Amino acid sequence: MFKIVVLVKAVPDPKRASEIKIDPRTKTLTRADVPLVMNQLDKHAMEAALELKTQVGGEITAISMGPPPAAAILKECLAMGADHGVLLSDRAFGGADAYATAYTLAKGVEKIGSADLILCGMASSDGSTEWVGPELSVFLDLPVVTGVKEIAGSSEQWWQVKAHIDNGYRELKVKLPAVMAVTRELNTPRNISFSGIIKARKKEITIWDFDALGVPKSSLGLAGSPTIISDLRVSESKREVEMIEGTREEKAEILVQKLADAGLF
Amino acid sequence: MGESTGPVWVFAEQSDGCVLPVSLEIIGQARKLADELGTSLEVIFLGDAIHENAQILFNAGADKVLLGEHPDLKYYQPERYMHIIVKLAQKYQPEIFLLGSTATGKELAPLVAAKLETGLTAHCIDLALDQEKRLEQIIPAYGGLISIVCPEKRPQMATIAKGVFSKPDTSEAKQGELVLLEIANEQDQRIELLEVVCEEEDGVPLESATIVVAGGAGAKDLEGWQQIVDLADEMGAALGSTRPPVDEGWIEIDRMIGQSGKMVAPELYIGVGLSGELQHMVGITGAKLLVAVNCEPKAPVFEQVDYGIVDDCREFLPVLIEKIKASKAEKV
Amino acid sequence: MIDFTFTEEQDLFRKAAREFSETKVVPKIGEMEESGQVNMDVVKALGEAEMMAITIPEEYGGLGLGYSARLIALEEIAKDSCAVAMMLQVFALGNEPIIKFGSDEQKKKYLPGLASGERLATVGVTEPTGGSDPSGGRTVYKKDGDDYIINGRKCFITNSHIADTITVLAKDDENPKAFSTFIVEKGMAGFKPSHEEHKIGMRGCNTGELTFENCRVPKENLLGVEGKGMRVAMSAIGDVGRGGMVGCSLGVLNACLEEALKFANERILYGKPIIKLPAIQDKIAEMKLDLEIGRLLGYRAAALQDQGVRCDTEFAMAKFHTAESAQKAAKMTADIHGGYGCMNEFAITRYLRDAFVLGPSAGTSDIMRIIIARSAM
């Protein structure tokens, strides 16, 4: 049976993410009460999985690493049509950088077992390293394609995809099992439906803590992260602003005059 | 330091054999790091028919170029490139390894980092050495700057976007050591490259533009966005954006300006309906004159520009466009 | 009772309704405001999103999710478009008499099509002489063999020109105290939607008149017991109709509060945004309080409805409070906007006009007061 695993991440709502700021005195982040939502690009990964399931049949497991509230994101995936949800949640996973995150997720994917295709969004709105897909592929010893914008076709074991490069795209054949990091161009994610929510009642979200993964604590979370934050500071601006005042007409005129004076047209 | 420090490495990316500008910019900065560390600067250069172009790498400041020339390597292939680099890294034990934040770099860097079990920071806007001679990898976040270090694992890896560092002077011919790598005949087993297709960029290219007009979430909808497009057209400017317009589908991601997008250094930058998020603003540090239009007087952008106008973009832009037309007409 | 939190599933319903509204309703608001007409793309999208199926039992093709889920969906949609929420709420209002009083054959015949959105429903009760007091209606029926013949005119009927299935209340022409309800179908001889209204608000939701001229209705279309039709009609309007108005009103109230906050945070007076002024904060506090009270009253009534417990007074209170509060909030928000509160480009003018139509729908505030007083006496 064709098994798809989708990596999803709960991120602070991007519409309100600017409310999270660095406190210059304590050098920590002031977390405003910003709600968590599913990372937008992961919805495209979920949609890709759902479309594939319609075409070739099979089973979808959504997996996320995060604190307990991240289970709500997995519930959404179940409502969209995923069959199972797995939440990797444990204090020991906290403080992870991209490397430790990818490592922990890889252990989770291994435990799920026999994945034919692993999908994830290209980047997350709150970190945007774009690392997790490729690093995961190394830990699982699988091929990876990032920037997937079109799935052009498939035969028994080889899948043909188009992936972004700077100024264009490359077309590739990938042997499954493989990891694919997808972009916005790939599809339009479906809305959650009411009947999807009803069907999700019978589906399960399993929670795995670090015991369940059976790896040493030193490989996870802050301890397992090769990089650490050494400093946080508020950036200082070096410009002196002149606010242009007046009626709308006046403001436009003054601006145009200043730009003309500066030789810009 | 007790033992001798491993070399500083830069991955030089090529297209049709030519070295990409971003790689030269990184070599320029890496030269300073290598000097400070008292170690050598070495460049990994893989491709086909690239032999002659190694000279430009020496001119930019490389002490050594590790050249892998083979028809198989003409285009980036993830498994091949990764295995070659990982083997070299295990042999030469670099202290630092830097790559450009290109589509290739963004995929290759994490593959290498994971294989070498080391740390990696994305989209740095600056690199320096801290007091313990560790690589300080600086990224913008949450309205400020975050410094990241990789205390134990080596190499310390980072990717940097084009335009962050300035291009070094490559006019003077310099000497360096050329090491020819032995590359076996071997294709990626699991990924087959069928075709590489180049697509011309629509509109005025961002990086070379004199004037850049950028729009943000304040456009509110496609109609509002069109006004910003009109302003850019009227001024002959390149059109850019922050992330929200890309997410909304009003503009392509390769027009996004900022930490994970493009860096621009125009004579004039006009930001319309954007709040001045650091992730975006680091993309325009090279701009000469900065102007912002936003309906919120408290928007952070107004602390980072030369001229600020508080107004509703939808109402203001048509008036501004009229005035620009009038001014141009006067000159004729 | 007493757990005042929504379940995880209800949060998901809200999310689904929000996503739907943002992607399918919001893009059409401009068109609806311009033309005042129902947008058939929106109707189709509502059907595809299973919005009409919420209160229809599963065995007849619905989702059987109940009235709390319905209120959640209406509230979310009304935050963007009161017109679309009104249209949707009246579909449910039209379905209800068949759900509650239909025979098994009638339910099998009509409900699946209504659940999928292929067929649209409404209720024909109100008349020029019988609105607040429906017993004043003059539409009559008489028996003719096995059939019934209906003559009369209904007015202020929401979805008048798009409905396929209409539950009509008529008086026995030989016995003015006896009322019956009939299922009238679009296309039946002698029945037609006639005059269409142009409303000040809720543009995009159609309201109009239904005319019956010797409209022949077969006996299979008698709904419930002959002579006991008033009960059928009122149970639908009472709970489902008023419940729907609560959803519409909460949405408008929410939208007004958000607009007020947005404007007050941007508008500068005396060097500070006006939200710092006590006078503005008073208004914000009042709107917020009204919103919380409205949600508590509304969701409690819906919870009772889901349990099958009588809740007509609870809905009367919720409808009265939310409709009045929405109108107050619209006025306060317009005041906060100053001169801009009169300009069409500002959303508040639409909320003002929509809020106006909330008042007389499904029972005026004065009638609600009578019902509430009676329950206390």
Side-chain angles (χ1 to χ4, degrees), chain C residues 75-148:
Chain C
E75 187 185 358
E76 288 306 311
I77 293 173
K79 282 178 186 172
D80 295 315
S81 168
C82 187
V84 173
M86 183 69 174
M87 173 169 69
L88 177 60
Q89 94 94 338
V90 174
F91 289 150
L93 173 53
N95 296 339
E96 191 73 5
I98 302 176
I99 295 171
K100 284 270 145 54
F101 297 94
S103 66
D104 197 46
E105 288 84 36
Q106 286 170 329
K107 289 194 234 191
K108 282 202 176 97
K109 181 174 177 193
Y110 296 105
L111 291 182
L114 291 169
S116 68
E118 264 172 69
R119 300 179 65 90
L120 306 172
T122 190
V123 156
V125 170
T126 307
E127 297 186 31
T129 53
S132 295
D133 174 16
S135 66
R138 292 195 188 143
T139 300
V140 290
Y141 72 92
K142 66 172 187 256
K143 253 197 119 98
D144 185 55
D146 268 352
D147 302 337
Y148 297 89

Side-chain angles (χ1 to χ4, degrees), chain C residues 240-294:
Chain C
V240 177
R242 284 178 209 151
M245 292 321 302
V246 173
C248 295
S249 305
L250 284 176
V252 173
L253 186 38
N254 228 306
C256 289
L257 177 56
E258 286 209 16
E259 263 324 275
L261 286 169
K262 207 171 101 194
F263 189 86
N265 270 308
E266 288 171 7
R267 176 85 178 147
I268 307 287
L269 222 50
Y270 316 123
K272 287 184 288 200
I274 58 176
I275 198 148
K276 302 277 186 197
L277 300 170
I280 302 295
Q281 287 181 12
D282 281 347
K283 296 198 212 298
I284 302 288
E286 209 177 315
M287 284 191 256
K288 173 86 179 160
L289 187 54
D290 281 339
L291 180 58
E292 288 302 309
I293 294 170

Side-chain angles (χ1 to χ4, degrees), chain A residues 15 36-38 43 71-73 75-76 79-80 190-198 200-201 205 248, chain C residues 8-9 12-17 19-24 49-51 54 58 63-65 69 73 340:
Chain A
K15 297 197 184 106
L36 294 177
V37 298
M38 192 181 338
K43 287 193 189 167
I73 305 303
K75 207 73 215 240
E76 253 186 80
M80 277 174 90
R190 64 195 64 184
N191 290 340
I192 313 171
S193 70
F194 286 128
S195 36
I197 298 172
I198 293 175
R201 284 175 191 161
I205 295 177
R248 186 161 289 150
Chain C
E8 202 178 48
E9 196 175 87
L12 273 175
F13 288 141
R14 190 173 292 279
K15 195 164 207 139
E19 273 179 10
F20 169 80
S21 193
E22 275 169 17
T23 52
K24 305 288 182 190
E50 305 165 302
M51 291 286 173
I54 297 176
E58 279 179 274
L63 294 176
L65 287 173
Y340 294 109

Side-chain angles (χ1 to χ4, degrees), chain A residues 141 146 167 169-171 173 175 184 228 230-231 233 237 239 241-242 244 248-249 251 253 265, chain B residues 107 145 147 149 190 192 194-195 197 199 246 287-288 302-303 306 308 310-311 315 323 331:
Chain A
D141 193 20
T146 59
N167 301 328
Y169 66 88
R170 53 194 167 128
E171 191 149 357
K173 262 164 73 169
K175 198 158 185 217
R184 227 194 68 240
I228 56 165
S230 64
D231 193 21
R233 53 185 183 279
S237 172
R239 301 213 182 218
V241 185
E242 183 188 324
I244 298 178
R248 186 161 289 150
E249 294 274 326
K251 289 191 282 202
E253 263 180 48
F265 48 74
Chain B
E107 194 180 275
L145 293 172
S147 295
V149 293
R190 305 184 293 185
E192 189 187 322
L194 298 173
E195 200 187 352
V197 175
E199 283 165 338
V246 174
K288 302 277 178 344
F302 289 129
E303 287 162 24
D306 301 298
V310 178
D311 207 338
E315 304 299 319
K323 297 287 176 199
K331 299 247 154 87

Side-chain angles (χ1 to χ4, degrees), chain A residues 3 44 47 54 64 82 88 97-98 102 125 127 133 166 188 199-200 217 226 233 236:
Chain A
K3 214 162 165 186
H44 291 269
E47 176 63 31
T54 314
S64 185
L88 304 177
D97 67 359
S125 60
D166 305 314
T188 305
K199 287 191 191 125
K217 264 199 176 140
R233 53 185 183 279
E236 275 123 35

